Structure formats: C-alpha cells, structure tokens
Amino acid sequence: MIPIIKPWLGEQEAEAARDAILSGWVAQGPRVGQFERAVCDRVGATEGLAVSSCTTGLHLALIGAEVGPGDDVVVPSLSFIATANSVSYCGANSVFADVCPVTQNVTAQTVSDAITPKTKAVLLVHQVGMPADIDAIRAVCDAAGAVLIEDAACAIGSTYKGAEIGGHSPFVVYSFHPRKVITTGEGGMVMVQDKAIADRLRILRQHAMSISDVARHSSEEFVFESYPELGYNYRMTDIQAAIGMVQLGKLSAVVSRRRQLAQNYHRALEHYEILQLPVDPSYGTTNYQSYCIKLRDGGRKLRDRILQGFKDRQIGGKRGIMAAHLEGAFSTHRQAGRGSLPESERWTDESFVLPMYHHMTQSEQAQVVEELRVLL
Ligand SMILES: *Cc1c(COP(=O)(O)O)cnc(C)c1O
C-alpha cells in the first residue's frame, strides 16, 4: 500500500506534546504565543494568530477585511470547499473566478472579470502550494478598492518573487491539517500585517472576551471580563502549538524533499505528451503540497480509469481539486452547474494527484510511475 501522504511525525513531536501536557497548560497559552512568533519570523509577517483550522482562520480574515452580508467576494470555485464556505459564513456572496490552465490559480484577468461594484475582498488560493501571481492580482484589488486575502492552506514554504508566502498581503491563512506540508493535527494560522486589526481578531478568536486567560491569570487584581461583540472560539491548544514548533523546524527539509521527489516524477513522466506536469511559475516556487497532473487528452474517462487502477493496485491516487460550483452546497448559487467556469471544470474532471511523502522510497516512486504508465 502506497498512501497519498504520510505526515512526518515522530518522537520529537510526542515529546513536545508530553511537555505541554505536563506543564498543566493545555488550552491556548504560552506555547501558542511562541509558535505564532516563530511562524512570523520565518515568513516575514507582522502578526500571526494561531487558530483551530484554516477554515476558521479564513472566517476571521474576512471579518478583518470587514466583509459582511450583501458584499461580494471574488474566490476560485476550483478549491477545497472551505474557501467558498468561509465567505458564506460572513453572509457574503462568492463570485467565482475561473483559473489559469497551467497553474490552476486565479489570475489578474480572471479576478478582474469577476469584480462587481459590491466586491469587498478577493480571496486568492495558492492551489496545492503553487503560488498565484500576488502582485498582479493586488493591482486589480487596488483598482477595485478590494482587500486581498490569500488562502495559503497548502502554501507554507512556497515562495513568491524570492520571499516565502505569508507577508505579501493584509491577510494570509495557513492550514496545519495532516494533508498539508506541516501539521498540528488540526490547526491554522492567520498572518496579519496591521497590528490593530490583529488585536481585534485576537479578541474575536476567544469569544470576543475583553481580556485573555493569560492576562487574567497573571493579574494581581481580580479582573471582570466583558463581551462587547459577537465572538467565536477559534483557538489552537498549547499541545498543538508544541507539535507545531517541531514541525516548523522541519519545514525546509520537507519542502526540499518534496521538490526532489517532484523532480523524480518529472524526469520519469516528461516524455508522455498526454500529461501536463506541474512546474514552477516564472515568479516563484511551489512546495509541491500535491503533485497534481492534468491530462491533455482522454478526458474524465481516462482520469477516472487511472484513479480506479490506482485503487485496484493499492496506490493512493486522488482526484484533483474539486469545484464548489458543481457541489450541492452551492446548487442555488448563480454560477451553479456546468458551463460558467470552463477551465475550472477541465481541472476538476481531468486532473489527479500522485502519492508523495517525506520518507517515500525510490522503489515506491518507481512503482507509482510504472502503474501510471500501464494505465495511460
Ligand atoms: C485544506 C484547505 C482548506 C481547509 O483547511 P482546514 O485547516 O482543514 O480548515 C482551505 N483551503 C484550501 C485551499 C485547502 O486546501
């Protein structure tokens, strides 16, 4: 059995979790603060808010961008459904932008086509770690008066114009789900450039409580808290943050290993005209959170045959990225159903993901390649 991904977790993470548990502080506490500072230092962001998931982080980022009922938010349909769901949580409306046939990301052109007079924010996605062209999309946002938010769920460790993704936009949100490159079990982080906005979101993260647990515990006097607005419980635990510190220390090694494995796949498959293989765009580098291949021919029929073939041979292939406008959850959306987003539909129908994990062996990779060759 060759799985699609295996998180690289071991004794160091177990030890870190153990220390957190034995410290007596298991909810959000000092280790969360330490983890936030460490991620900020790494990616060059001003502030970081550790949260329970990327999904809750996206919700906070949209609130930070003052997105509310009646607003439009430009977002790719071709993404994990959480991206569009987060817009719905605010009572706002997703306007789906189509994607580039090469990068599977939204572009300045597709974003521009989706801008309306009610557009309050643009939520771009660095799909499967492949960087989108942030500067080009920011120019469209600036012209439209929209706030740029990056869904970087898969993109920690990817780079844009020489710097790691995380400090380029007012809000950048990571996921630490086990399917991503580093993990805290569940978890995420919102990178924020404006300190006042970060302070407000920190309060909303814990029920909009006027004073944090840490501040209350360390005060000499008895403190009564208050709740001036609607808040949420979107906190990360100190146990997760302790694991996150260890994982962050492995990030560079994880990314360089994934890039090496991607190069192996590339060399073995580049002669197949039928396969469109993933490559770095001119302006950045991907962390290859997923090695996602699109078929140039054969359509959905061949793609599904490959997935079934992998399943029969116990190889963990996976479909490419879903498209929210084709799902029941968005069936009443005005772009629902086929036809409105041709490139997104091609990607979701005709792409698939190969297994890739840190300790993948040469013979496991060769086996995947061999099975794929047979199925083509
Ligand atoms: C995984 C993923 C999410 C959701 O992340 P969670 O941490 O599981 O909430 C959101 N957006 C994209 C693009 C993702 O890949």
Side-chain angles (χ1 to χ4, degrees), residues 97-121:
D98 209 357
V99 295
C100 167
V102 177
T103 65
Q104 66 178 320
N105 286 322
V106 294
T107 65
Q109 186 60 54
T110 66
V111 168
S112 173
D113 290 346
I115 296 278
T116 73
K118 290 197 274 183
T119 303
K120 195 68 172 271

Side-chain angles (χ1 to χ4, degrees), residues 13-90:
E13 286 83 354
E15 196 57 41
R18 184 176 192 274
D19 289 347
I21 291 164
L22 295 178
S23 78
W25 198 298
V26 290
Q28 178 184 289
R31 284 174 175 81
V32 165
Q34 193 194 354
F35 184 40
E36 291 173 339
R37 280 187 300 278
V39 176
C40 284
D41 290 348
R42 161 98 199 201
V43 304
T46 313
E47 301 269 337
L49 279 84
V51 285
S52 53
S53 69
C54 176
T55 308
T56 56
L58 289 171
H59 187 194
L60 283 184
L62 288 160
I63 293 171
E66 292 179 17
V67 169
D71 292 331
D72 282 350
V73 177
V74 176
V75 51
S77 166
L78 189 81
S79 183
F80 185 58
I81 198 158
T83 311
N85 282 349
S86 69
V87 173
S88 303
Y89 298 159
C90 298

Side-chain angles (χ1 to χ4, degrees), residues 201-259:
L201 296 184
R202 248 183 213 109
I203 290 168
L204 294 183
R205 174 178 62 176
Q206 53 161 11
H207 312 285
M209 196 190 299
S210 59
I211 180 163
S212 74
D213 294 336
V214 177
R216 192 157 43 82
H217 278 266
S218 51
S219 168
E220 295 282 310
E221 288 162 33
F222 192 88
V223 185
F224 290 91
E225 82 285 10
S226 63
Y227 304 86
E229 61 179 317
L230 177 66
Y232 307 89
N233 180 357
Y234 285 171
R235 290 173 295 201
M236 176 182 275
T237 70
D238 256 29
I239 304 170
Q240 292 169 297
I243 296 167
M245 283 299 288
V246 179
Q247 287 273 297
L248 187 65
K250 292 176 170 179
L251 177 60
S252 297
V254 169
V255 172
S256 73
R257 177 69 181 143
R258 296 189 76 80
R259 289 182 59 81

Side-chain angles (χ1 to χ4, degrees), residues 52-58 78-83 125-128 151-154 173-180 186-188 289 321:
S52 53
S53 69
C54 176
T55 308
T56 56
L58 289 171
L78 189 81
S79 183
F80 185 58
I81 198 158
T83 311
V125 179
H126 303 291
Q127 200 53 259
V128 299
D151 178 343
C154 301
V173 191
Y174 301 124
S175 171
F176 303 126
H177 184 274
R179 180 68 187 85
K180 318 299 182 185
E186 292 275 0
Q289 180 268 342
I321 305 305

Side-chain angles (χ1 to χ4, degrees), residues 65-351:
E66 292 179 17
V67 169
D71 292 331
D72 282 350
V73 177
V74 176
V75 51
S77 166
L78 189 81
S79 183
F80 185 58
I81 198 158
T83 311
N85 282 349
S86 69
V87 173
S88 303
Y89 298 159
C90 298
N93 175 48
S94 289
V95 180
F96 293 131
D98 209 357
V99 295
C100 167
V102 177
T103 65
Q104 66 178 320
N105 286 322
V106 294
T107 65
Q109 186 60 54
T110 66
V111 168
S112 173
D113 290 346
I115 296 278
T116 73
K118 290 197 274 183
T119 303
K120 195 68 172 271
V122 171
L123 179 45
L124 69 74
V125 179
H126 303 291
Q127 200 53 259
V128 299
M130 187 66 69
D133 192 351
I134 301 167
D135 287 350
I137 294 167
R138 182 187 305 110
V140 177
C141 291
D142 289 349
V147 181
L148 182 56
I149 301 170
E150 297 175 41
D151 178 343
C154 301
I156 194 164
S158 295
T159 66
Y160 182 74
K161 296 189 178 170
E164 286 199 351
I165 283 170
H168 296 93
S169 295
F171 304 94
V172 181
V173 191
Y174 301 124
S175 171
F176 303 126
H177 184 274
R179 180 68 187 85
K180 318 299 182 185
V181 290
I182 58 171
T183 185
T184 57
E186 292 275 0
M189 196 174 290
V190 191
M191 313 318 291
V192 184
Q193 297 308 320
D194 183 296
K195 183 158 186 328
I197 295 175
D199 288 345
R200 170 161 182 250
L201 296 184
R202 248 183 213 109
I203 290 168
L204 294 183
R205 174 178 62 176
Q206 53 161 11
H207 312 285
M209 196 190 299
S210 59
I211 180 163
S212 74
D213 294 336
V214 177
R216 192 157 43 82
H217 278 266
S218 51
S219 168
E220 295 282 310
E221 288 162 33
F222 192 88
V223 185
F224 290 91
E225 82 285 10
S226 63
Y227 304 86
E229 61 179 317
L230 177 66
Y232 307 89
N233 180 357
Y234 285 171
R235 290 173 295 201
M236 176 182 275
T237 70
D238 256 29
I239 304 170
Q240 292 169 297
I243 296 167
M245 283 299 288
V246 179
Q247 287 273 297
L248 187 65
K250 292 176 170 179
L251 177 60
S252 297
V254 169
V255 172
S256 73
R257 177 69 181 143
R258 296 189 76 80
R259 289 182 59 81
Q260 188 192 346
L261 291 165
Q263 207 180 356
N264 297 347
Y265 273 142
H266 196 95
R267 272 204 221 99
L269 298 170
E270 65 186 334
H271 307 299
Y272 289 83
E273 289 274 306
I274 195 173
L275 303 176
Q276 180 187 309
L277 304 175
V279 291
D280 287 329
S282 58
Y283 49 73
T285 58
T286 170
N287 61 11
Y288 287 105
Q289 180 268 342
S290 289
Y291 193 83
C292 189
I293 298 175
K294 189 165 75 165
L295 294 171
R296 290 205 173 94
D297 201 2
R300 173 152 193 182
K301 236 169 115 181
L302 176 57
R303 195 280 307 268
D304 292 357
R305 186 149 57 79
I306 291 168
L307 290 180
Q308 187 60 49
F310 277 172
K311 181 129 189 98
D312 295 343
R313 294 160 176 81
Q314 304 217 343
I315 290 173
K318 210 173 150 272
R319 70 187 269 205
I321 305 305
M322 58 169 296
H325 75 291
L326 303 180
E327 295 296 328
F330 287 88
S331 60
T332 60
H333 191 276
R334 69 182 170 80
Q335 289 163 290
R338 291 190 176 265
S340 58
L341 300 157
E343 295 301 338
S344 302
E345 289 161 28
R346 279 213 56 196
W347 273 104
T348 198
D349 287 344
E350 300 170 17
S351 68

